[in-house]
Amino acid sequence: MPTLQTMADDTAPLTAALAALMQGEVTGLARLTGGASRETWSATVRTASGDRRVILQRTSTPSGMSSQGVDMAGEAALVRAAHAAGVPTAEVLAASGDPDLPADAGALGTSWALCDHVDGETIARRILRDDRYATARTRVVDQAADALARIHRLPTETAPQQTITDPVARFRSALDLFGEPHAALELGLRWLDQHRPGEVGPCVVHGDFRLGNWIVDDDGLAAVVDWELAHLGDPGEDLGWMCVRAWRFGGAGAAAGLGSHEQLLDSYLAAGGLPLTLDDLRWWEAYGTLAWGVMCIAQASRHRSGYVRSVELAAIGRRVCENEHDLLALLPGPALTDLPAPAATVGHPEAPHDVPSAVELLDAVAGFLRDDVMGATSGRVQFHTRVAANVVDQVRRQIEMGSSQAAAHRDRLAALGFADDGALAAAIRAGELDDRFDEVKAAVWASVRDKLAVAHPDYERI
C-alpha cells in the first residue's frame, strides 16, 4: 500500500489521490503556478523502483474545460500521440478519462493530467543569453522545426479542438467584440485578406509554439509544453507564431530570436513538414503579429471590465502599439525611414497648481516603487511593482507629449478625410482606401510611433 507524507489539510486530499494513483509515497507537493483556469503542481513520488518527479496540471473551472472548450483528457491524448511520434514531450502518466483510475482520483478534479517532470529551462531570456545554453542555441531552431513537422503529420483526429475557422474572420470578429477602432490592425486584416496563401492544412496545430513553451536543456529542445490551444489549422500558423517579434524576446534571429526564416523553413521541409513557401511563412508571421495585438486588447479588457483587476493586464493594453508597429513593418509600402520623427515633448501648463509639477510627482512615485518597494518585495509582487513603475513612466510621458501628439494625430486624420479613428478604421475595412494604401499606412504608422514614444520609447532600438 502507498504511504502518505503528512501535509497541510488543504493539500492532503490531493496528496492522497496522487499516492493512490502512483502507488507510492508522495512528498514535496507544491503549487507552481496558477491562472484563471489551470493549476500546476509538482511532487516527488517514491516507489519500489525509485523516486520519480511528476507534474500535475488540472483545470480549476467548474466545467473542467479550457477557454477553447477542451478538457485535459483530450489534450493528454494528443500529447501521448505526439510523444509516440517522436515529438519531445513529457511522458503522460495518467489523465482524467483514463480507464481503471483509483477511486481516490476524483480528488484530482474533473479534468487533469499527470506527467513526468522534465529538467531544463523555460525562461526565454535565460535560454537566449546564459552561457550554459550556448550549445543549445545552435540546435533549438532545427529541433523545433523537426518537432513541428512531426506534430503536423499527426492524424487530424488527435486534435482536441476540431472546429476549423477562417483565420482572418476569427480576429476581425474578435476585434469587433471590444469596440475599439485600430486602423493599423484593420490595415493588417485588409492586407491579409487580400493576400492569402494557398491552403495546406488542415493539420494538427500546437497553437502556441514558441520560446517560453519549450523546455530547453544543455543539448537543446527537451520538451514541448502547453498544448491547451491545439486545434486543426494551417501548419503556417505554428511556424509564423514562432517568428513573431514578441516571441524573440530580444534575440536577433527571426525564428525564436535564434535563426532565420530560411533556416526554419528549410529545416521544417527537410524533416518532412507540409509544403510551405517563404512567402507563406511571412504571411503567417504578419498574421501572428496581428493576433497578438488583438490578444493584448483582450487582456486589457479583462481589467477594464472589472473581471480581473490587475496592473499587469492594464499595462498590456499599452503594448498593442508594439504589435501595430511590427505589423506595419511587415506590410508593403512605406518603410520606417520614410516616416517623420515622433511628436516632440512639449511643456504642460501647471497653473494654478503648486510645485512639484505633475511630472515631478510621477517621477517621485516611480522612484519610490523602483528604489524602495522592489527591494522590499519578491516574486509576483516585485514583478507587479516593476510594471507599476513603468506605468507611472508612461503617464508622465503622455503628460509631456500628449497635446502635441493629439494635434498631430488630428492633422493626419484630417489629411485622410476623416474626423476620428472609428471612421478611418471602418473605411479601411470596407476597402474604400485600397487605392491609397501607402498614404494611409504612412499616416497610421506615424500615429503608432507616437503611441510607442509614450508606451515604449526604446522599442525601435531593441
Side-chain angles (χ1 to χ4, degrees):
M1 291 293 291
T3 59
L4 178 65
Q5 177 182 341
T6 301
M7 306 266 316
D9 289 344
D10 58 343
T11 59
L14 192 56
T15 305
L18 286 174
L21 183 67
M22 295 296 294
Q23 292 294 294
E25 177 188 1
V26 175
T27 63
L29 180 67
R31 184 169 177 178
L32 300 180
T33 61
S37 62
R38 182 167 292 193
E39 302 171 1
T40 302
W41 298 77
S42 68
T44 298
V45 181
R46 179 164 296 167
T47 65
S49 58
D51 288 356
R52 188 169 197 168
R53 297 174 68 189
V54 297
I55 298 293
L56 171 71
Q57 285 197 314
R58 61 179 189 166
T59 55
S60 54
T61 58
S63 68
M65 296 291 183
S66 73
S67 60
Q68 303 296 305
V70 176
D71 67 19
M72 294 202 65
E75 183 180 330
L78 172 60
V79 175
R80 283 168 166 156
H83 189 80
V87 179
T89 70
E91 182 180 355
V92 177
L93 304 174
S96 53
D98 285 356
D100 303 321
L101 292 173
D104 287 352
L108 298 175
T110 58
S111 180
W112 55 270
L114 183 72
C115 66
D116 272 329
H117 169 91
V118 177
D119 287 329
E121 181 61 75
T122 59
I123 297 176
R125 295 191 182 278
R126 293 178 184 170
I127 296 168
L128 290 170
R129 292 164 176 77
D130 286 5
D131 291 342
R132 174 177 178 176
Y133 302 106
T135 298
R137 287 193 287 272
T138 68
R139 301 172 177 173
V140 165
V141 171
D142 294 336
Q143 293 168 333
D146 179 83
L148 276 182
R150 294 173 186 272
I151 292 169
H152 295 162
R153 293 198 304 269
L154 292 172
T156 55
E157 60 268 21
T158 60
Q161 175 56 265
Q162 290 283 311
T163 302
I164 300 174
T165 59
D166 176 82
V168 175
R170 174 189 176 192
F171 282 102
R172 185 172 278 153
S173 297
L175 188 58
D176 287 344
L177 287 175
F178 305 111
E180 297 180 24
H182 285 266
L185 299 181
E186 291 292 350
L187 272 178
L189 285 165
R190 184 69 182 168
W191 184 86
L192 289 167
D193 197 19
Q194 293 179 312
H195 298 84
R196 293 170 181 260
E199 292 187 9
V200 178
C203 67
V204 177
V205 172
H206 178 275
D208 199 8
F209 193 84
R210 59 175 177 85
L211 270 179
N213 288 336
W214 306 336
I215 299 175
V216 174
D217 61 17
D218 296 355
D219 295 320
L221 182 62
V224 179
V225 298
D226 289 346
W227 293 75
E228 61 190 284
L229 299 181
H231 60 278
L232 287 183
D234 191 288
E237 183 179 342
D238 276 338
L239 278 85
W241 189 243
M242 183 174 158
C243 294
V244 169
R245 180 176 173 180
W247 309 133
R248 302 174 194 171
F249 296 94
L258 292 168
S260 65
H261 293 101
E262 291 80 4
Q263 178 191 356
L264 172 61
L265 187 59
D266 289 348
S267 295
Y268 174 76
L269 295 175
L274 299 177
L276 292 169
T277 68
L278 191 58
D279 285 342
D280 295 338
L281 176 56
R282 292 185 184 278
W283 189 95
W284 283 105
E285 179 185 353
Y287 171 81
T289 302
L290 180 140
W292 179 228
V294 177
M295 291 176 195
C296 287
I297 296 171
Q299 293 282 60
S301 74
R302 295 175 63 205
H303 166 82
R304 296 182 65 214
S305 70
Y307 178 71
V308 179
R309 299 297 292 177
S310 163
V311 67
E312 180 184 5
L313 293 180
I316 286 174
R318 289 297 182 100
R319 295 196 62 186
V320 177
C321 59
E322 297 175 10
N323 299 282
E324 292 176 327
H325 173 81
D326 296 342
L327 176 61
L328 292 169
L330 293 169
L331 300 185
L336 188 62
T337 53
D338 301 323
L339 303 180
T345 300
V346 296
H348 191 78
E350 296 293 338
H353 305 290
D354 299 320
V355 294
S357 68
V359 166
E360 290 171 327
L361 288 172
L362 290 170
D363 279 340
V365 173
F368 167 71
L369 292 171
R370 289 194 174 96
D371 299 337
D372 296 284
V373 181
M374 283 187 62
T377 57
S378 61
R380 194 152 186 81
V381 173
Q382 186 180 76
F383 170 72
H384 279 161
T385 301
R386 182 181 295 110
V387 172
N390 290 339
V391 168
V392 171
D393 286 340
Q394 289 184 39
V395 175
R396 173 183 57 77
R397 288 190 292 266
Q398 185 165 336
I399 289 173
E400 292 178 317
M401 293 184 279
S403 59
S404 62
Q405 290 184 339
H409 184 60
R410 285 193 299 270
D411 290 345
R412 294 184 197 109
L413 285 171
L416 294 174
F418 297 94
D420 56 52
D421 292 298
L424 173 60
I428 293 170
R429 179 177 297 193
E432 297 170 7
L433 300 172
D434 286 354
D435 59 346
R436 301 171 64 188
F437 185 89
D438 286 2
E439 178 189 2
V440 174
K441 178 187 173 182
V444 171
W445 204 354
S447 290
V448 168
R449 291 188 81 195
D450 280 353
K451 292 196 288 185
L452 268 179
V454 167
H456 194 163
D458 295 326
Y459 189 74
E460 290 178 358
R461 294 189 291 272
I462 294 176

